[in-house]
Each structure stands twice: as structure tokens, then as C-alpha cells.
Amino acid sequence: MISNPKVSVCMITYGHEKFLREAIDAVFMQEVNFDIELILSNDASPDGTHALMTQICESHPRRENIKYYNHTNNIGMMRNFIFALNKC
């Protein structure tokens, strides 16, 4: 019997700085009876995505449920997705 079920939400990003905060908040605003963890993988975005994610990981009320990975070199959408999925 699972006492504390958890759902992993897989999110990849590349150049989504303007939309990340809203997307993250949308994940955590869901009313559910289980824990949610967000696995977010940044594919070396050329914008301010990494700086924003660093800030979010330090200040978000649910920061303990966010697992953030930042690639220093672009690996491509599918490889980034598979990477994030494997972290779930």
C-alpha cells in the first residue's frame, strides 16, 4: 500500500522565460489528494530562463517540490524530454 502517492509532472523548456512562472503556478494550483513534484529541464535557453528558474527555486512556496535541471549545451527537444522523463 502506498501511503504518500506522488505524481511527477515533466516540463521541458527552451526560451520560455515569459511563460515559466505561470506554467509552474498552474501545476501547483491543482487541488489533488496526492503530492506533486515538478521536474523541469532547461535545454540551454538563450534568454533569462536559467536566472528566473534559479530565483523560483529559491523563493517559490513549493520550491521543495521543484527539481530543476539546466543543460549548459543544447541537447535538443527530444533528448531533453527523455532526460526529464527519466528524472520522473
Side-chain angles (χ1 to χ4, degrees), residues 33-52:
N33 62 352
F34 48 82
D35 289 334
I36 294 176
E37 73 173 350
L38 174 61
I39 307 298
L40 198 147
S41 183
N42 178 15
D43 196 13
S45 294
D47 61 2
T49 294
H50 179 63
L52 176 62

Side-chain angles (χ1 to χ4, degrees), residues 21-80:
R21 190 175 302 275
E22 184 178 354
I24 291 167
D25 289 343
V27 168
F28 290 118
M29 73 178 357
Q30 304 303 311
E31 294 184 25
V32 296
N33 62 352
F34 48 82
D35 289 334
I36 294 176
E37 73 173 350
L38 174 61
I39 307 298
L40 198 147
S41 183
N42 178 15
D43 196 13
S45 294
D47 61 2
T49 294
H50 179 63
L52 176 62
M53 280 308 303
T54 300
Q55 176 190 32
I56 288 171
C57 287
E58 292 173 357
S59 64
H60 196 279
R62 302 281 300 272
R63 63 185 166 272
E64 69 278 353
N65 298 92
I66 300 172
K67 307 288 189 300
Y68 172 62
Y69 301 92
N70 181 51
H71 297 285
T72 54
N73 296 309
N74 184 278
I75 61 173
M77 183 179 69
M78 286 308 297
R79 285 183 63 204
N80 191 30

